[in-house]
Amino acid sequence: MNVKWRGRVSFFGKVFVFLTGIVVAQGVQAVSQQKVMGDYHLTIYEDAQGSVDGIELFTKLADREAFFGVSCTRMSPFPLLQVLLFNDEVISESPRLLKLRYSLEGSTLQSDGLQGVLKATDSVEEHSNKIRIEFGSVGLGSMQAMQEAYDELLDKLAASKTLKLELSHRTLGNFEYGFSLKGLGSLLTPYRDICR
């Protein structure tokens, strides 16, 4: 599960910033720091006053163009969790709503009301799927309930070492990804308030 891309961290950092789009918004001035711990790369963004305004954490599968990441900014009430697939890893040429189940540390697969919202891009510059992992509205009728659900999910991810994701669609089939979570918790903890 070790990631074999240490020398290309800055390149992938730029790619992830470009693709997530959540942190690159008004108010964010510049990248202030970049760190690597375990299998995760952290990029920290500052506002005009030098305060931390947003973070991005991501990892990549060693032998596939598949990424998993978490982005948080003070401008958004929820963190953004995404799976990014490029080139041969692309699973759909059009937008889709995917069923999602996950397990941590090899536990039983569960949904917890999560779904995958797939956005497809096919241009000369980019061939990708960006799959946003989000809670459906069923059972989470208020903003506070949604915030608590994301907070609990982040706590689970930060305390675990492995994440298995199963994405499925009736016409596309099933797709499984196993991501390392080593380093995520340590890098996320100092900036946890931004993800609330």
Side-chain angles (χ1 to χ4, degrees):
M1 193 85 63
N2 287 338
V3 182
K4 310 291 186 193
W5 45 280
R6 297 297 184 224
R8 300 168 64 183
V9 160
S10 60
F11 167 75
F12 286 121
K14 291 174 186 173
V15 168
F16 202 73
V17 169
F18 174 74
L19 294 172
T20 60
I22 190 169
V23 173
V24 182
Q26 278 188 337
V28 176
Q29 297 298 313
V31 174
S32 64
Q33 294 182 56
Q34 295 189 5
K35 300 178 183 178
V36 175
M37 183 177 291
D39 292 324
Y40 276 79
H41 177 264
L42 167 68
T43 303
I44 303 165
Y45 299 90
E46 292 183 343
D47 62 17
Q49 289 74 43
S51 299
V52 175
D53 197 53
I55 62 167
E56 288 182 328
L57 288 146
F58 75 95
T59 190
K60 178 187 179 297
L61 294 183
D63 55 349
R64 300 168 66 182
E65 288 188 86
F67 295 76
F68 170 73
V70 178
S71 298
C72 302
T73 176
R74 294 192 189 279
M75 293 175 287
S76 174
F78 309 121
L80 172 65
L81 290 84
Q82 275 193 126
V83 173
L84 306 177
L85 307 173
F86 296 94
N87 303 318
D88 292 342
E89 295 297 326
V90 166
I91 61 175
S92 177
E93 302 300 324
S94 58
R96 303 282 182 170
L97 182 61
L98 305 173
K99 290 183 180 178
L100 184 150
R101 296 194 306 161
Y102 76 97
S103 72
L104 300 168
E105 321 286 58
S107 62
T108 304
L109 284 166
Q110 57 191 355
S111 170
D112 287 348
L114 290 167
Q115 60 190 13
V117 180
L118 185 151
K119 177 184 176 185
T121 300
D122 190 9
S123 66
V124 174
E125 297 83 19
E126 181 186 336
H127 185 51
S128 70
N129 286 164
K130 299 165 196 159
I131 304 166
R132 191 174 69 246
I133 299 170
E134 64 178 34
F135 286 97
S137 57
V138 178
L140 297 173
S142 70
M143 176 79 79
Q144 182 178 348
M146 192 77 78
Q147 287 172 330
E148 288 172 358
Y150 277 108
D151 205 41
E152 183 179 340
L153 178 59
L154 280 182
D155 285 345
K156 288 180 182 177
L157 294 173
S160 302
K161 293 181 180 176
T162 60
L163 168 66
K164 178 181 177 182
L165 286 172
E166 180 186 270
L167 301 168
S168 62
H169 187 274
R170 62 179 181 80
T171 60
L172 297 175
N174 296 332
F175 303 88
E176 291 186 359
Y177 303 91
F179 291 102
S180 169
L181 295 174
K182 293 175 183 174
L184 176 67
S186 297
L187 290 171
L188 178 62
T189 297
Y191 308 101
R192 200 65 173 78
D193 62 314
I194 299 172
C195 294
R196 290 190 169 94

Coordinates of all heavy atoms in Angstrom, one line a residue, residues 54-105:
G54 N -7.4 27.1 4.2 CA -7.8 25.8 3.6 C -6.7 24.8 3.5 O -5.5 25.2 3.6
I55 N -7.1 23.5 3.5 CA -6.1 22.4 3.4 C -6.6 21.4 2.4 O -7.8 21.3 2.1 CB -5.8 21.7 4.7 CG1 -7.1 21.1 5.2 CG2 -5.3 22.7 5.7 CD1 -6.9 20.1 6.4
E56 N -5.6 20.7 1.8 CA -5.9 19.5 1.0 C -5.0 18.4 1.4 O -3.8 18.6 1.5 CB -5.7 19.8 -0.5 CG -6.7 20.8 -1.1 CD -6.5 21.0 -2.6 OE1 -5.3 21.0 -3.0 OE2 -7.5 21.2 -3.3
L57 N -5.6 17.2 1.5 CA -4.8 16.0 1.9 C -5.2 15.0 0.8 O -6.3 14.8 0.5 CB -5.3 15.5 3.2 CG -4.8 16.3 4.4 CD1 -5.9 16.2 5.5 CD2 -3.5 15.7 4.9
F58 N -4.2 14.3 0.3 CA -4.5 13.2 -0.7 C -3.4 12.2 -0.7 O -2.3 12.3 -0.3 CB -4.7 13.8 -2.1 CG -3.4 14.2 -2.8 CD1 -2.7 13.4 -3.6 CD2 -2.8 15.5 -2.5 CE1 -1.5 13.7 -4.2 CE2 -1.6 15.9 -3.1 CZ -1.0 15.0 -4.0
T59 N -3.8 11.0 -1.3 CA -3.0 9.9 -1.5 C -3.2 9.3 -2.9 O -4.3 9.6 -3.5 CB -3.1 8.8 -0.4 OG1 -2.1 7.8 -0.5 CG2 -4.5 8.1 -0.5
K60 N -2.3 8.5 -3.4 CA -2.5 7.9 -4.7 C -2.2 6.4 -4.6 O -1.3 6.0 -3.8 CB -1.5 8.5 -5.7 CG -1.5 8.0 -7.1 CD -0.4 8.5 -7.9 CE -0.4 8.0 -9.3 NZ -0.2 6.5 -9.4
L61 N -2.9 5.6 -5.3 CA -2.6 4.2 -5.4 C -1.2 4.1 -6.1 O -1.0 4.8 -7.1 CB -3.7 3.4 -6.2 CG -5.0 3.3 -5.5 CD1 -6.0 2.4 -6.3 CD2 -4.9 2.8 -4.1
A62 N -0.4 3.1 -5.7 CA 0.9 3.0 -6.2 C 1.0 2.7 -7.7 O 1.8 3.2 -8.4 CB 1.7 2.0 -5.4
D63 N 0.1 1.9 -8.2 CA 0.2 1.4 -9.6 C -1.0 1.8 -10.4 O -1.2 1.3 -11.5 CB 0.3 -0.2 -9.5 CG -0.9 -0.8 -8.8 OD1 -1.6 -0.1 -8.1 OD2 -1.0 -2.0 -8.9
R64 N -1.8 2.7 -10.0 CA -3.0 3.2 -10.7 C -3.1 4.7 -10.6 O -2.7 5.3 -9.6 CB -4.2 2.5 -10.2 CG -4.1 1.0 -10.3 CD -5.3 0.3 -9.5 NE -6.6 0.6 -10.1 CZ -7.7 0.1 -9.6 NH1 -7.7 -0.6 -8.5 NH2 -8.9 0.4 -10.2
E65 N -3.8 5.3 -11.6 CA -4.0 6.7 -11.6 C -5.3 6.9 -10.9 O -6.3 7.4 -11.4 CB -4.1 7.3 -13.0 CG -2.7 7.4 -13.7 CD -2.8 8.1 -15.0 OE1 -2.7 9.4 -15.0 OE2 -2.9 7.5 -16.0
A66 N -5.3 6.6 -9.6 CA -6.5 6.8 -8.7 C -6.1 7.4 -7.4 O -5.1 7.0 -6.8 CB -7.1 5.4 -8.4
F67 N -6.8 8.5 -7.0 CA -6.4 9.3 -5.9 C -7.6 9.3 -4.9 O -8.8 9.2 -5.3 CB -6.2 10.8 -6.3 CG -5.0 11.0 -7.1 CD1 -5.0 10.7 -8.5 CD2 -3.8 11.5 -6.6 CE1 -3.9 10.9 -9.3 CE2 -2.7 11.8 -7.4 CZ -2.8 11.4 -8.8
F68 N -7.3 9.5 -3.6 CA -8.3 9.7 -2.6 C -7.9 11.0 -1.9 O -6.7 11.1 -1.5 CB -8.5 8.6 -1.7 CG -9.4 8.9 -0.5 CD1 -10.8 9.0 -0.6 CD2 -8.8 9.1 0.8 CE1 -11.6 9.4 0.4 CE2 -9.7 9.5 1.9 CZ -11.0 9.6 1.7
G69 N -8.8 11.9 -1.6 CA -8.4 13.1 -0.9 C -9.5 13.8 -0.1 O -10.7 13.5 -0.3
V70 N -9.1 14.6 0.8 CA -10.0 15.4 1.6 C -9.5 16.9 1.5 O -8.4 17.2 1.7 CB -9.9 15.0 3.1 CG1 -10.8 15.8 4.0 CG2 -10.2 13.5 3.3
S71 N -10.5 17.7 1.2 CA -10.2 19.2 1.2 C -11.2 19.9 2.1 O -12.3 19.5 2.2 CB -10.5 19.7 -0.3 OG -9.6 19.1 -1.2
C72 N -10.6 20.9 2.8 CA -11.5 21.7 3.7 C -11.1 23.2 3.5 O -9.9 23.5 3.3 CB -11.2 21.3 5.2 SG -11.5 19.6 5.5
T73 N -12.1 24.0 3.6 CA -11.9 25.4 3.6 C -12.9 26.1 4.5 O -13.9 25.6 4.7 CB -12.0 26.0 2.1 OG1 -11.9 27.4 2.2 CG2 -13.4 25.6 1.5
R74 N -12.5 27.3 5.0 CA -13.3 28.0 5.9 C -14.6 28.5 5.2 O -15.6 28.9 5.9 CB -12.6 29.1 6.6 CG -11.5 28.7 7.5 CD -10.9 29.8 8.3 NE -9.7 29.4 9.0 CZ -9.7 28.7 10.1 NH1 -10.8 28.3 10.7 NH2 -8.5 28.4 10.7
M75 N -14.6 28.5 3.9 CA -15.7 29.0 3.1 C -16.8 28.0 2.9 O -17.9 28.3 2.4 CB -15.2 29.6 1.8 CG -14.4 30.8 1.9 SD -13.7 31.3 0.3 CE -12.5 30.1 0.0
S76 N -16.5 26.7 3.3 CA -17.5 25.7 3.1 C -17.9 25.0 4.4 O -17.0 24.8 5.2 CB -16.9 24.6 2.1 OG -17.8 23.5 2.0
P77 N -19.2 24.7 4.6 CA -19.6 24.1 5.9 C -19.2 22.6 6.0 O -19.3 22.1 7.1 CB -21.1 24.3 5.9 CG -21.5 24.4 4.5 CD -20.3 25.1 3.8
F78 N -18.9 22.0 4.8 CA -18.6 20.6 4.8 C -17.2 20.3 4.2 O -16.8 21.1 3.3 CB -19.6 19.8 4.0 CG -21.0 20.1 4.4 CD1 -21.9 20.6 3.5 CD2 -21.5 19.9 5.7 CE1 -23.2 20.9 3.9 CE2 -22.8 20.2 6.1 CZ -23.7 20.7 5.2
P79 N -16.5 19.3 4.6 CA -15.3 18.9 3.9 C -15.7 18.3 2.5 O -16.8 17.8 2.4 CB -14.7 17.8 4.8 CG -15.8 17.3 5.6 CD -16.8 18.4 5.7
L80 N -14.8 18.3 1.6 CA -14.9 17.6 0.3 C -14.1 16.4 0.3 O -12.9 16.4 0.5 CB -14.5 18.5 -0.8 CG -14.5 17.9 -2.2 CD1 -15.9 17.5 -2.7 CD2 -13.8 18.9 -3.2
L81 N -14.7 15.2 0.2 CA -14.0 13.9 0.1 C -14.2 13.5 -1.4 O -15.4 13.5 -1.9 CB -14.6 12.9 1.0 CG -14.3 13.1 2.5 CD1 -15.3 14.1 3.1 CD2 -14.4 11.8 3.2
Q82 N -13.1 13.1 -2.0 CA -13.2 12.7 -3.4 C -12.3 11.6 -3.8 O -11.3 11.4 -3.2 CB -12.7 13.9 -4.3 CG -13.8 14.9 -4.6 CD -13.3 15.8 -5.7 OE1 -14.0 16.0 -6.7 NE2 -12.2 16.5 -5.6
V83 N -12.8 10.8 -4.8 CA -11.9 9.9 -5.5 C -11.7 10.4 -6.9 O -12.7 10.8 -7.6 CB -12.6 8.5 -5.6 CG1 -11.8 7.5 -6.5 CG2 -12.8 7.9 -4.2
L84 N -10.5 10.5 -7.3 CA -10.2 11.1 -8.7 C -9.6 10.0 -9.5 O -8.6 9.3 -9.1 CB -9.2 12.2 -8.5 CG -9.6 13.4 -7.6 CD1 -8.4 14.4 -7.5 CD2 -10.8 14.0 -8.1
L85 N -10.1 9.8 -10.7 CA -9.7 8.7 -11.6 C -9.3 9.3 -12.9 O -10.0 10.2 -13.5 CB -10.8 7.7 -11.8 CG -11.5 7.1 -10.6 CD1 -12.7 6.3 -11.0 CD2 -10.5 6.3 -9.8
F86 N -8.1 8.9 -13.4 CA -7.6 9.5 -14.7 C -7.4 8.4 -15.7 O -7.0 7.3 -15.4 CB -6.3 10.2 -14.4 CG -6.4 11.4 -13.5 CD1 -6.2 11.3 -12.1 CD2 -6.7 12.6 -14.0 CE1 -6.3 12.3 -11.3 CE2 -6.9 13.7 -13.2 CZ -6.6 13.6 -11.8
N87 N -7.5 8.8 -17.0 CA -7.2 8.0 -18.1 C -7.7 6.6 -18.1 O -9.0 6.5 -18.1 CB -5.6 8.0 -18.3 CG -5.1 9.4 -18.4 OD1 -5.7 10.3 -19.1 ND2 -4.1 9.8 -17.7
D88 N -6.9 5.5 -18.0 CA -7.5 4.2 -18.1 C -8.3 3.8 -16.8 O -9.0 2.8 -16.9 CB -6.3 3.2 -18.1 CG -5.6 3.3 -19.5 OD1 -6.1 3.8 -20.4 OD2 -4.4 2.8 -19.6
E89 N -8.3 4.6 -15.8 CA -9.1 4.3 -14.6 C -10.5 4.9 -14.7 O -11.4 4.5 -13.9 CB -8.4 4.9 -13.3 CG -7.1 4.3 -13.0 CD -7.2 2.8 -12.6 OE1 -8.2 2.4 -12.1 OE2 -6.3 2.1 -13.0
V90 N -10.8 5.7 -15.7 CA -12.1 6.3 -15.9 C -13.1 5.2 -16.0 O -12.9 4.3 -16.8 CB -12.1 7.3 -17.1 CG1 -13.5 7.6 -17.5 CG2 -11.3 8.5 -16.7
I91 N -14.3 5.4 -15.3 CA -15.3 4.3 -15.3 C -16.6 4.8 -16.0 O -17.4 4.0 -16.4 CB -15.7 3.9 -13.9 CG1 -16.2 5.0 -13.0 CG2 -14.5 3.2 -13.2 CD1 -16.7 4.6 -11.7
S92 N -16.7 6.1 -16.3 CA -17.9 6.6 -17.0 C -17.6 7.8 -17.8 O -16.8 8.7 -17.4 CB -19.0 6.9 -16.0 OG -20.1 7.5 -16.6
E93 N -18.3 7.9 -19.0 CA -18.1 9.1 -19.8 C -19.1 10.1 -19.6 O -19.2 11.2 -20.3 CB -18.1 8.6 -21.3 CG -17.1 7.6 -21.7 CD -15.6 8.1 -21.5 OE1 -15.4 9.3 -21.7 OE2 -14.8 7.3 -21.1
S94 N -20.1 9.9 -18.7 CA -21.1 10.8 -18.4 C -21.4 10.9 -16.9 O -21.0 10.0 -16.1 CB -22.4 10.4 -19.1 OG -22.8 9.1 -18.8
P95 N -22.1 11.9 -16.4 CA -22.3 12.0 -14.9 C -23.2 10.9 -14.4 O -24.1 10.4 -15.2 CB -23.1 13.4 -14.9 CG -22.8 14.1 -16.1 CD -22.6 13.1 -17.2
R96 N -22.9 10.4 -13.2 CA -23.7 9.3 -12.7 C -23.8 9.5 -11.2 O -23.0 10.2 -10.5 CB -22.9 8.0 -12.8 CG -22.6 7.6 -14.3 CD -23.8 7.1 -15.0 NE -23.4 6.7 -16.4 CZ -24.1 6.0 -17.2 NH1 -25.3 5.6 -16.8 NH2 -23.7 5.7 -18.4
L97 N -24.8 8.9 -10.6 CA -25.0 8.8 -9.2 C -24.7 7.4 -8.8 O -25.3 6.4 -9.3 CB -26.4 9.2 -8.7 CG -26.7 9.1 -7.2 CD1 -25.8 10.1 -6.5 CD2 -28.2 9.4 -6.9
L98 N -23.7 7.2 -8.0 CA -23.2 5.8 -7.7 C -23.6 5.4 -6.3 O -23.6 6.2 -5.3 CB -21.6 5.8 -7.8 CG -21.0 6.3 -9.1 CD1 -19.5 6.3 -9.0 CD2 -21.4 5.3 -10.3
K99 N -23.9 4.1 -6.1 CA -24.0 3.6 -4.8 C -22.6 3.5 -4.2 O -21.7 3.1 -4.9 CB -24.7 2.2 -4.8 CG -26.2 2.3 -5.2 CD -26.8 0.9 -5.2 CE -28.2 1.0 -5.5 NZ -28.9 -0.4 -5.6
L100 N -22.5 3.7 -2.9 CA -21.2 3.7 -2.3 C -21.3 2.9 -1.0 O -22.2 3.1 -0.2 CB -20.7 5.1 -2.0 CG -19.3 5.2 -1.4 CD1 -18.7 6.5 -1.9 CD2 -19.3 5.2 0.1
R101 N -20.3 2.0 -0.8 CA -20.1 1.3 0.5 C -18.6 1.4 0.8 O -17.8 1.5 0.0 CB -20.6 -0.2 0.4 CG -22.1 -0.3 0.2 CD -22.6 -1.7 0.4 NE -21.9 -2.7 -0.3 CZ -21.9 -4.0 0.0 NH1 -22.6 -4.4 1.0 NH2 -21.2 -4.9 -0.7
Y102 N -18.3 1.4 2.1 CA -17.0 1.5 2.5 C -16.7 0.6 3.8 O -17.6 0.2 4.5 CB -16.6 2.9 2.8 CG -17.1 3.4 4.2 CD1 -16.3 3.4 5.3 CD2 -18.4 3.9 4.3 CE1 -16.8 3.9 6.5 CE2 -18.9 4.4 5.5 CZ -18.1 4.4 6.6 OH -18.5 4.9 7.8
S103 N -15.4 0.3 4.0 CA -15.0 -0.4 5.2 C -13.7 0.1 5.6 O -12.9 0.5 4.8 CB -15.0 -1.9 5.0 OG -13.9 -2.3 4.2
L104 N -13.5 0.1 6.9 CA -12.2 0.5 7.5 C -11.6 -0.7 8.2 O -12.3 -1.4 8.9 CB -12.5 1.6 8.5 CG -13.1 2.9 8.0 CD1 -13.6 3.8 9.1 CD2 -12.2 3.6 7.0
E105 N -10.3 -0.9 8.0 CA -9.5 -2.0 8.6 C -10.2 -3.3 8.3 O -10.1 -4.2 9.1 CB -9.5 -1.8 10.1 CG -9.3 -0.4 10.6 CD -7.9 0.1 10.4 OE1 -7.4 0.2 9.3 OE2 -7.2 0.5 11.4

